[in-house]
């Protein structure tokens, strides 16, 4: 008697991985509700009746980020569900503070900065959608690394070559003025140069990891391999000298050093880079008055409280007034700080939300940075890892420079706070940066596509033993 072989039970297909898009939608609704409540609180504390403008801001906010959410569902459905909601909340809080500053300045009512910020947010979200739609795979950028580097350098140099009336504002030559509006090319140059850095570091990894002499326990690179570092140093110092822009100079150079360290894990590159920057900054301090003025205002802002130190003194007074819990939205006087809606918006939040509220805002940034670094760890290709880490690190460096500047921890540089400050170039550029992070996170989280295993031919089938009773 023989037993018949049992038919094989087909394996149940694995359930699809959750995309977490519904969670993202819920968080976006929460960000919209929080922004609306904050706007209403500002109006109430300023003793104003609720008007159509608040409703317009709320509807515009929901419509714009609803569009961004639909774009992620369509083009990057496995992307990190926290990135867009956290950025939306930062953008909404920035809109609230800009509107609050509009109410404190009657001269701004005819030209509302908050309305302009909504329009720039529209442009930024459209740029976000376009990048997601056109960039199907972030690895496509690796082949255009040198082109991105060239374009980034051109954008960085343009303001220095233009006459002062077309490029200079506040002592820095960082603008390109057009009829009716102006742009800051360095904001877009930052992203292009990050793509270039990532592409070069991945392609030339052997050059950066080659060992040179061993001095005091440190492997120093060979002199002939220092050319990329020297080029980055020359560009950084050139921006500081010719465009009088300390913030962009420090941001680009620090981002390059961080990416070099991530790619090589060699502290010697960082040590040499820091030594070069200190040497260049020291020489610039003695040769150029604008650098010397910034440093002196940092060392003792109260030496000239009505002149060079006025901004810093007012910023410190704002933090002191806010204390731990703040004066409350609409109850402070942040309008007395120059450039409160742009360079010093952190001081405005510190006065009205206090240390606790400002810490909450900084935690939102920390969330974006950590999710970006987590994306860098999870993505499977070297270029994506380095680009995601560079984008997240650049946000962290920029946040440190901004907060350190307004709190007098480091010299004031004039950088804006991403997604929070008023300004079109910064807002649009940072939405492009967000789109790149979303695209890389989609690649990191999506399931691996494996080819189906073809059925074995009969001749190659295994032998089955049949038991005889």
């Amino acid at each position: 008697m023989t037993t018949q072989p049992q038919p094989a039970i087909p394996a149940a297909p694995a359930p699809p991985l959750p995309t977490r898009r519904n969670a993202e939608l819920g968080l976006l609704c929460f960000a919209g509700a929080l922004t609306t409540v904050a706007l209403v609180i500002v109006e109430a504390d300023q003793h104003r009746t609720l008007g159509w403008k608040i409703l317009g801001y709320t509807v515009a906010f929901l419509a714009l980020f609803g569009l961004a959410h639909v774009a992620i569902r369509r083009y990057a459905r496995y992307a990190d569900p926290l990135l867009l909601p956290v950025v939306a909340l930062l953008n909404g809080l920035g809109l609230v503070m800009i509107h609050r500053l509009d109410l404190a300045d009657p001269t701004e009512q005819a030209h509302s900065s908050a309305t302009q910020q909504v329009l720039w947010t529209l442009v930024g979200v459209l740029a976000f959608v376009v990048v997601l739609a056109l960039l199907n795979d972030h690895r496509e950028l690796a082949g255009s690394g040198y082109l991105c580097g060239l374009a980034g350098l051109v954008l960085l140099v343009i303001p220095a070559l233009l006459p002062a009336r077309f490029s200079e504002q506040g002592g820095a030559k960082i603008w390109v003025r057009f009829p009716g509006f102006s742009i800051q090319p360095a904001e877009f140059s930052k992203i292009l140069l990050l793509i270039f850095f990532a592409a070069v570091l991945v392609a030339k990894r052997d050059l950066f990891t080659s060992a040179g002499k061993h001095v005091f326990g440190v492997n120093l690179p060979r002199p002939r391999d220092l050319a990329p570092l020297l080029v980055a140093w020359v560009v950084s110092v050139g921006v500081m000298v010719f465009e009088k822009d300390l913030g962009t100079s420090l941001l680009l150079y620090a981002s390059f050093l961080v990416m070099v360290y991530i790619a090589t894990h060699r502290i010697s590159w960082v040590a040499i880079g820091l030594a070069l920057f200190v040497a260049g900054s020291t020489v610039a301090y003695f040769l150029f008055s604008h650098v010397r003025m910034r440093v002196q205002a940092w060392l003792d802002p109260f030496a000239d409280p009505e002149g060079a130190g006025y901004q810093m003194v007012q910023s410190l007074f704002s933090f002191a007034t806010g204390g731990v819990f703040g004066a409350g939205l609409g109850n402070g006087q942040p309008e007395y700080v120059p450039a409160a809606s742009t360079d010093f918006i952190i001081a405005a939040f510190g006065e009205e939300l206090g240390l606790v509220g400002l810490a909450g805002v900084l935690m939102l940034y920390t969330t974006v940075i950590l999710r970006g670094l987590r994306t860098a760890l999870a993505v499977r290709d070297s270029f994506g890892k380095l680009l995601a880490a560079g984008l997240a690190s650049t946000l962290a460096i920029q946040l440190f420079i901004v907060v350190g500047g307004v709190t007098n921890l480091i010299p004031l540089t004039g950088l804006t706070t991403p997604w929070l400050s008023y300004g079109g170039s910064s807002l649009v550029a940072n939405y492009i940066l967000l789109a790149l992070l979303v695209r890389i996170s989609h690649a990191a989280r999506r399931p691996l596509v494996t080819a189906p295993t073809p059925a074995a031919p009969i001749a190659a089938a295994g032998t089955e033993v049949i038991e005889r009773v």
Side-chain angles (χ1 to χ4, degrees), residues 305-397:
E306 299 295 331
Y310 181 74
Q311 277 184 312
M312 183 52 60
V313 168
Q314 294 299 321
S315 176
L316 295 177
F317 283 155
S318 290
F319 286 114
T321 303
V324 177
F325 297 104
L329 277 175
N331 289 327
Q333 295 179 317
E335 64 273 12
Y336 287 104
V337 181
S341 62
T342 53
D343 300 353
F344 282 84
I345 198 168
I346 289 293
F349 277 100
E351 179 174 352
E352 301 213 331
L353 298 183
L355 177 62
V356 174
L358 183 57
V361 173
L362 296 181
M363 285 302 298
L364 293 175
Y365 282 105
T366 304
T367 301
V368 177
I369 294 166
L370 289 179
R371 301 301 284 197
L373 294 176
R374 181 178 178 180
T375 295
L377 291 173
V379 74
R380 302 171 184 91
D381 64 287
S382 298
F383 175 74
K385 286 180 178 293
L386 199 52
L387 182 57
L391 294 171
S393 300
T394 297
L395 283 176
I397 294 168

Side-chain angles (χ1 to χ4, degrees), residues 185-194 251-252 394 398 430 433:
E187 292 288 346
F188 303 95
S189 174
K190 168 184 68 178
I191 299 174
L192 292 170
L193 290 177
L194 285 175
L251 177 62
L252 291 177
T394 297
Q398 185 167 350
N430 283 302
L433 184 150

Side-chain angles (χ1 to χ4, degrees), residues 56-396:
Y57 289 157
T58 302
V59 171
F61 182 92
L62 295 176
L64 289 175
F65 289 102
L67 173 63
H69 172 72
V70 170
I72 291 180
R73 279 187 180 268
R74 172 66 178 83
Y75 300 111
R77 58 195 307 262
Y78 290 103
D80 193 315
L82 283 181
L83 289 174
L84 181 63
V86 174
V87 167
L89 183 54
L90 286 170
N91 199 162
L93 292 176
L95 177 64
V96 170
M97 184 55 67
I98 293 167
H99 175 63
R100 184 259 177 275
L101 293 168
D102 281 348
L103 297 179
D105 186 2
T107 62
E108 290 290 329
Q109 295 306 302
H111 180 72
S112 173
S113 297
T115 302
Q116 292 292 322
Q117 186 76 345
V118 171
L119 294 177
W120 281 117
T121 302
L122 169 63
V123 177
V125 170
L126 290 178
F128 174 87
V129 173
V130 168
V131 171
L132 286 184
L134 297 182
L135 185 64
N136 296 319
D137 192 332
H138 64 274
R139 291 172 292 184
E140 298 172 3
L141 296 173
S144 306
Y146 285 95
L147 182 61
C148 290
L150 178 61
L153 288 177
V154 169
L155 289 176
L156 203 59
V157 168
I158 286 176
L161 301 179
L162 292 176
R165 67 180 183 275
F166 295 117
S167 62
E168 187 169 348
Q169 182 176 334
K173 295 190 63 175
I174 57 177
W175 299 93
V176 176
R177 287 195 178 89
F178 296 97
F181 70 100
S182 59
I183 63 171
Q184 192 173 345
E187 292 288 346
F188 303 95
S189 174
K190 168 184 68 178
I191 299 174
L192 292 170
L193 290 177
L194 285 175
I195 297 172
F196 168 70
F197 292 157
V200 170
L201 288 171
V202 169
K204 307 292 184 182
R205 182 177 301 172
D206 294 339
L207 182 149
F208 286 91
T209 56
S210 58
K213 293 182 179 181
H214 192 75
V215 180
F216 298 113
V218 178
N219 290 321
L220 297 179
R222 297 174 299 183
R224 64 177 179 270
D225 295 336
L226 289 174
L229 183 62
L230 293 176
V231 170
W233 177 75
V234 169
V235 171
S236 176
V237 174
V239 170
M240 179 170 57
V241 171
F242 295 105
E243 297 188 359
K244 303 178 183 179
D245 187 4
L246 276 66
T248 301
S249 172
L250 180 58
L251 177 62
L252 291 177
Y253 195 67
S255 300
F256 176 73
L257 289 183
V258 168
M259 293 181 73
V260 168
Y261 178 72
I262 293 173
T264 64
H265 300 286
R266 291 186 182 274
I267 196 65
S268 57
W269 284 98
V270 179
I272 294 173
L274 290 177
L276 286 173
F277 190 78
V278 169
S281 300
T282 303
V283 172
Y285 174 81
F286 289 104
L287 293 182
F288 303 103
S289 60
H290 63 276
V291 177
R292 189 162 53 250
M293 182 181 65
R294 289 287 182 92
V295 174
Q296 290 172 352
W298 165 60
L299 293 175
D300 188 8
F302 290 93
D304 186 13
E306 299 295 331
Y310 181 74
Q311 277 184 312
M312 183 52 60
V313 168
Q314 294 299 321
S315 176
L316 295 177
F317 283 155
S318 290
F319 286 114
T321 303
V324 177
F325 297 104
L329 277 175
N331 289 327
Q333 295 179 317
E335 64 273 12
Y336 287 104
V337 181
S341 62
T342 53
D343 300 353
F344 282 84
I345 198 168
I346 289 293
F349 277 100
E351 179 174 352
E352 301 213 331
L353 298 183
L355 177 62
V356 174
L358 183 57
V361 173
L362 296 181
M363 285 302 298
L364 293 175
Y365 282 105
T366 304
T367 301
V368 177
I369 294 166
L370 289 179
R371 301 301 284 197
L373 294 176
R374 181 178 178 180
T375 295
L377 291 173
V379 74
R380 302 171 184 91
D381 64 287
S382 298
F383 175 74
K385 286 180 178 293
L386 199 52
L387 182 57
L391 294 171
S393 300
T394 297
L395 283 176

Side-chain angles (χ1 to χ4, degrees), residues 403-424:
V403 178
V406 299
T407 56
N408 207 36
L409 179 65
I410 61 175
L412 192 62
T413 59
L415 286 179
T416 57
T417 313
W419 299 297
L420 207 65
S421 296
Y422 172 77

